[in-house]
Amino acid sequence: MFTQIQPAARLQFAPPSLPPSYSLRRRQPLLRRRCSRFSFPRLRILNCSKVTKDGRETSSSEVSEVYSGSGEDEVRRAYPFHEIEPKWQLYWEELKTFRTPDDIDTSKPKFYVLDMFPYPSGAGLHVGHPLGYTATDILARLKRMQGFNVLHPMGWDAFGLPAEQYAIETGTHPKFTTFRNIDRFRSQLKLLGFSYDWDREISTTEPDYYRWTQWIFLQLLKRGLAYQAEVPVNWCPALGTVLANEEVVDGVSERGGHPVIRKPMRQWMLKITAYADRLLEDLDGLDWPESVKEMQRNWIGRSEGAELEFSVMDSNGLESDIKITVYTTRPDTIFGATYLVLAPEHGLLPAIISDAQRQDVEEYKELASRKSDLERTELQKEKTGVFSGSYARNPANGSAIPIWVADYVLGSYGTGAIMAVPAHDTRDHEFALKYNIPVCGVVTPENGSFSYFEKAYTGEGTMINSSSPTSGLDINGLPSKVAASKVIEWLQETEYGMKKVNYKLRDWLFARQRYWGEPIPVIFLDDTSECVPVSEDDLPLTLPELDDFTPTGTGEPPLTKALSWVQTVDPISGRSARRETNTMPQWAGSCWYYLRFMDPRNSKALVDKEKERYWSPVDVYVGGAEHAVLHLLYARFWHKVLYDVGVVSTKEPFQCVINQGIILGEVQYMTFRDSDGNLVSADSVDEMGNFIQEIVPAEKVTKSGDSFLLKDNPDIRLIGRAHKMSKSRGNVVNPDDVVSQYGADSLRLYEMFMGPFRDSKTWSTSGIDGVHRFLARVWRLVVGSPTIDGKFKVGTVDLDGEPSLEQLRCLHRCISKVTEEIEGTRFNTGISAMMEFINAAYKWEKLPRSVIEQFVLLLSPYAPHMTEELWSRLGHSSSLAYEPFPKVNPDYLKESMVVLPVQINGKTRGTIEVEKQCTEEEAFRLASLDSKVSKFLDGKAIKKRIFVPGELSSR
């Protein structure tokens, strides 16, 4: 059970366990003696740490000092965030305020909220990163205050290619750059006041962690789900490694822009296809964006159709023993198949190419090997191919049809060959027209004729041109679906084919020719090449030390250079053996980290069963949409394997997934100059040809309607556009700079206030002023205005008296709205509700303590530093982190006031606001006091009066 830490004594308006002199400024001399320093522009981060033998800096206490200005020269601030924020960050760290106890009170509800594992790059955070982290922190703080046991951890997905490439370029071991980057990220996250349980911090690079990644691999191996196969891969000679499809863009590596080719290599594969149906079926019960679920369904790509054989014809026009197997989802269109297409990497291709076409085919295969799967299947690209010189027999009608080689067919999908039906497939139609291949329509739409030579008809309809006395197959006049079933029956009867379920999903290529990754725990016996798993008791198999990480140039991984590590002995048989020198891909460690957070220091098991049963599944998982398919799919696959093994108790790892929007850089304004240096309006650039782009400062731009114009020359129209933040565009905003100027609470609040959480938004540094002013108004409302020198008094303003009915209504409307909007992740509208409350509170003559305290608690998930300080100044001796979150009283939400129109001589002369239970006498009294009404009664006697309760008051 969690025990709230209670300080022994409390001094006025200081953090509970800290003396009055405990301030960041006074601790700095001590910190400077104990700390290592990293310098950044306008920033000093002090990391209290000790250095281990391997150079790892293990931080025990960290303070980030980014607040500019000090002493008498200190700039005037709207409120003293530069003092408040470091003070409370130190308090939370020293008292471990957000630590989730190992032994938890399981009678309480749980809330597991998780950010997608960040990769700690050397660039550090930009202001786009904290968007998701702030949202999860607000949810975590709310749930703690609502009485939940909250698990809110943070760690690092720290293996991978970027660190290895940096090591190659600089000669620095990747572990040192990785640890430095982690320290940088951690300091920045602490600077923003996120309530992570840092005692649970993990990194995929730690042997105690990847021991269990290796253990999971061994379970996959035992179940036949890990195997080796020779498969075509994206090979980058310059990087010396295999790249995933998503790491290749336009034929070059995403990192470095090096040429990538396709070539067959023996690789480790994971049989994710064995779980395809379960991965599909279990999507339905998840609270995920429908777009993400649909992307996963499309990636898995389950389809029902037929697999059938076409016999290759020899030089005499007779059927040979070579059979080409194709898969089709439209067996009803078999009579319309006018050619076959084989993927360039198809295994049968060498056997069927004619001598006359061999050179052309080989050259085409070389060109295709330089394209990624994504490029090859892009619908918009022009189709290319080459004739193989051979023909095959269409079993339905006996026709001899040409066999082509084209890269729009992938060897990894289906059988690597298709029957092409150009009249009824868009890609086949485009290809057939380009290469003058016959087009034969066999499906006619229900609503009449169709020109198959203009475009393909891909819908269903009635079968035509689909009968052959030779084969005995006749489906003319049948609806498409009925015809498809009949064709499948015929295929099975004649043994030409069978019904088949197919998937786009391919087995997971699980090997990288890199150093900086998890070693694969197997050995190969020298005399037989038999694969032998490393004993589970001998895990972790640790990564050896290497000074040379450069690619070998032969395709062999860098680990082959660690000769003493590679050469080993099978402990069971005593025979000599070699270790596997490929390493696992970066995806491996991030597939299961959410489980380790539940029990991060367990040396006996991956996770304790009782803890897993309590914390699973993750309640809310927040991250970018770029991980919508692969990371989530791989994690779900591993989770289902662990479910079958008995490690986990749930079928799915993440119950709710939320994708935050992207924060784009500030709008950049561009103008154009021609070759003579003259300014050119954006309207004309398409016609001009050669021009030079030039960035225009925002202060030189004016807006007219929807157009941006140059202030000094309104005839010149500019282009205004926001782009994704990147160093190359120079539009990255460092959160440390924002915190220095406005404070962490302002940054947190602004990121939530910019717009709907799931939408993309454009950063505007000037836009943060509004939320900063709001926080300053909250501060002045409770603490009071500053003195003439800009300082604020200790304590608060006078907060006495009982709240009025209207004040309670105002408060509870705010409570209702803020609670509802946080739980619905509509954070921006929750902030708007608090702004409305503050506007109303400034009009009150008296501020009741009970109302102000409740508002401070409401604001605390958004602005934790300021509210902790206000809570302390309000006289409380412990953190507000576990104070009960305000609950709405529905009675105060009921509208008890009504507006009554007042008529005189049948004409409405005004309105009055009264209680619903207002008496007739009170209503007439209020009406007579109203200035707009009373002027019509001067000197006149009232002859008759009518009162309709709750509706109308008349004279």
Side-chain angles (χ1 to χ4, degrees), residues 154-166:
M154 176 51 70
W156 318 104
D157 186 13
F159 273 132
L161 185 58
E164 182 154 338
Q165 282 305 112
Y166 185 80

Side-chain angles (χ1 to χ4, degrees), residues 288-484:
W288 289 19
E290 193 55 42
S291 60
V292 173
K293 292 198 282 190
E294 193 59 28
M295 287 170 70
Q296 292 221 351
R297 292 187 186 105
N298 292 337
W299 191 268
I300 296 168
R302 185 184 191 277
S303 61
E304 294 184 2
E307 200 169 76
L308 59 150
E309 291 181 341
F310 288 72
S311 296
V312 178
M313 301 171 67
D314 61 22
S315 57
N316 298 318
L318 301 175
E319 293 185 6
S320 70
D321 293 334
I322 302 175
K323 311 288 185 184
I324 296 176
T325 303
V326 305
Y327 171 79
T328 178
T329 59
R330 292 293 301 272
D332 55 309
T333 64
I334 188 171
F335 284 94
T338 58
Y339 66 104
L340 296 184
V341 180
L342 269 61
E345 58 271 19
H346 196 286
L348 287 178
L349 198 54
I352 67 170
I353 306 171
S354 70
D355 291 338
Q357 291 296 107
R358 191 168 300 278
Q359 182 176 347
D360 289 345
V361 173
E362 292 299 329
E363 289 176 356
Y364 184 78
K365 286 171 62 178
E366 171 65 20
L367 290 173
S369 73
R370 299 184 181 279
K371 299 179 183 178
S372 69
D373 288 356
L374 189 61
E375 289 177 279
R376 287 171 55 176
T377 56
E378 187 179 0
L379 293 177
Q380 287 75 26
K381 84 174 189 71
E382 183 181 0
K383 304 298 178 290
T384 63
V386 61
F387 178 45
S388 71
S390 297
Y391 292 82
R393 181 84 67 190
N394 186 329
N397 56 19
S399 300
I401 59 176
I403 303 171
W404 284 73
V405 182
D407 63 9
Y408 75 88
V409 176
L410 301 178
S412 59
Y413 176 64
T415 64
I418 64 165
M419 69 174 201
V421 185
H424 303 290
D425 182 275
T426 302
R427 296 185 308 167
D428 297 346
H429 188 273
E430 182 184 338
F431 190 90
L433 291 187
K434 180 175 180 178
Y435 292 104
N436 297 315
I437 301 172
V439 177
C440 176
V442 294
V443 182
T444 183
E446 301 294 346
N447 58 357
S449 61
F450 189 86
S451 176
Y452 302 104
F453 296 97
E454 292 182 5
K455 63 178 181 178
Y457 174 66
T458 59
E460 296 180 355
T462 303
M463 305 308 301
I464 59 173
N465 304 323
S466 298
S467 175
S468 171
T470 305
S471 66
L473 179 61
D474 181 3
I475 54 175
N476 271 333
L478 295 178
S480 301
K481 287 187 177 179
V482 177

Side-chain angles (χ1 to χ4, degrees), residues 804-926:
S804 68
L805 183 60
E806 182 51 40
Q807 287 173 328
L808 289 172
R809 284 177 180 151
C810 184
L811 171 66
H812 284 270
R813 282 195 298 268
C814 188
I815 293 172
S816 175
K817 186 68 173 177
V818 171
T819 306
E820 180 181 331
E821 301 306 85
I822 291 179
E823 291 180 338
T825 62
R826 297 179 295 271
F827 304 105
N828 56 322
T829 47
I831 295 171
S832 295
M834 290 187 283
M835 289 178 170
E836 291 175 9
F837 174 89
I838 290 299
N839 287 340
Y842 263 88
K843 298 175 184 177
W844 299 341
E845 291 184 5
K846 292 186 177 181
L847 294 174
R849 176 179 295 273
S850 60
V851 171
I852 293 303
E853 287 187 346
Q854 291 288 284
F855 176 78
V856 168
L857 295 175
L858 271 186
L859 179 60
S860 65
Y862 287 90
H865 305 90
M866 172 188 280
T867 51
E868 285 277 24
E869 179 68 18
L870 293 177
W871 192 248
S872 175
R873 287 173 175 243
L874 287 165
H876 298 279
S877 60
S878 60
S879 167
L880 54 66
Y882 296 90
E883 289 293 323
F885 197 75
K887 290 185 178 180
V888 66
N889 185 336
D891 292 340
Y892 293 125
L893 301 183
K894 296 175 183 176
E895 290 296 335
S896 59
M897 303 294 287
V898 295
V899 176
L900 295 180
V902 181
Q903 292 183 349
I904 298 176
N905 293 330
K907 293 184 179 181
T908 301
R909 299 301 187 180
T911 60
I912 58 172
E913 188 175 23
V914 299
E915 294 277 353
K916 280 184 177 180
Q917 295 77 24
C918 180
T919 65
E920 180 177 349
E921 289 302 321
E922 179 64 12
F924 279 100
R925 187 185 71 81
L926 292 172

Side-chain angles (χ1 to χ4, degrees), residues 360-602:
D360 289 345
V361 173
E362 292 299 329
E363 289 176 356
Y364 184 78
K365 286 171 62 178
E366 171 65 20
L367 290 173
S369 73
R370 299 184 181 279
K371 299 179 183 178
S372 69
D373 288 356
L374 189 61
E375 289 177 279
R376 287 171 55 176
T377 56
E378 187 179 0
L379 293 177
Q380 287 75 26
K381 84 174 189 71
E382 183 181 0
K383 304 298 178 290
T384 63
V386 61
F387 178 45
S388 71
S390 297
Y391 292 82
R393 181 84 67 190
N394 186 329
N397 56 19
S399 300
I401 59 176
I403 303 171
W404 284 73
V405 182
D407 63 9
Y408 75 88
V409 176
L410 301 178
S412 59
Y413 176 64
T415 64
I418 64 165
M419 69 174 201
V421 185
H424 303 290
D425 182 275
T426 302
R427 296 185 308 167
D428 297 346
H429 188 273
E430 182 184 338
F431 190 90
L433 291 187
K434 180 175 180 178
Y435 292 104
N436 297 315
I437 301 172
V439 177
C440 176
V442 294
V443 182
T444 183
E446 301 294 346
N447 58 357
S449 61
F450 189 86
S451 176
Y452 302 104
F453 296 97
E454 292 182 5
K455 63 178 181 178
Y457 174 66
T458 59
E460 296 180 355
T462 303
M463 305 308 301
I464 59 173
N465 304 323
S466 298
S467 175
S468 171
T470 305
S471 66
L473 179 61
D474 181 3
I475 54 175
N476 271 333
L478 295 178
S480 301
K481 287 187 177 179
V482 177
S485 298
K486 189 168 181 179
V487 170
I488 291 173
E489 290 176 10
W490 175 79
L491 288 170
Q492 292 173 333
E493 289 171 1
T494 58
E495 297 185 351
Y496 281 121
M498 65 184 75
K499 186 175 183 179
K500 181 78 172 179
V501 175
N502 201 23
Y503 301 88
K504 288 183 182 177
L505 181 66
R506 300 294 90 200
D507 283 345
W508 178 7
L509 189 137
F510 196 73
R512 296 291 185 270
Q513 290 68 47
R514 300 174 188 163
Y515 167 70
W516 194 236
E518 299 94 332
I520 297 175
V522 298
I523 61 174
F524 299 95
L525 301 180
D526 285 339
D527 52 359
T528 64
S529 296
E530 178 188 352
C531 177
V532 178
V534 172
S535 169
E536 292 178 12
D537 294 335
D538 292 335
L539 298 180
L541 172 61
T542 56
L543 202 61
E545 293 290 332
L546 268 187
D547 295 324
D548 180 10
F549 321 105
T550 56
T552 60
T554 63
E556 291 291 319
L559 277 179
T560 56
K561 299 175 183 179
L563 297 179
S564 61
W565 181 84
V566 173
Q567 297 294 337
T568 187
V569 174
D570 176 18
I572 298 177
S573 66
R575 293 147 70 186
S576 63
R578 290 175 58 85
R579 297 194 188 280
E580 172 62 78
T581 53
N582 285 298
T583 54
M584 299 185 196
Q586 185 177 347
W587 300 101
S590 62
C591 276
W592 69 279
Y593 70 103
Y594 59 94
L595 293 171
R596 194 60 175 173
F597 277 137
M598 300 174 187
D599 193 15
R601 307 294 170 242
N602 193 331

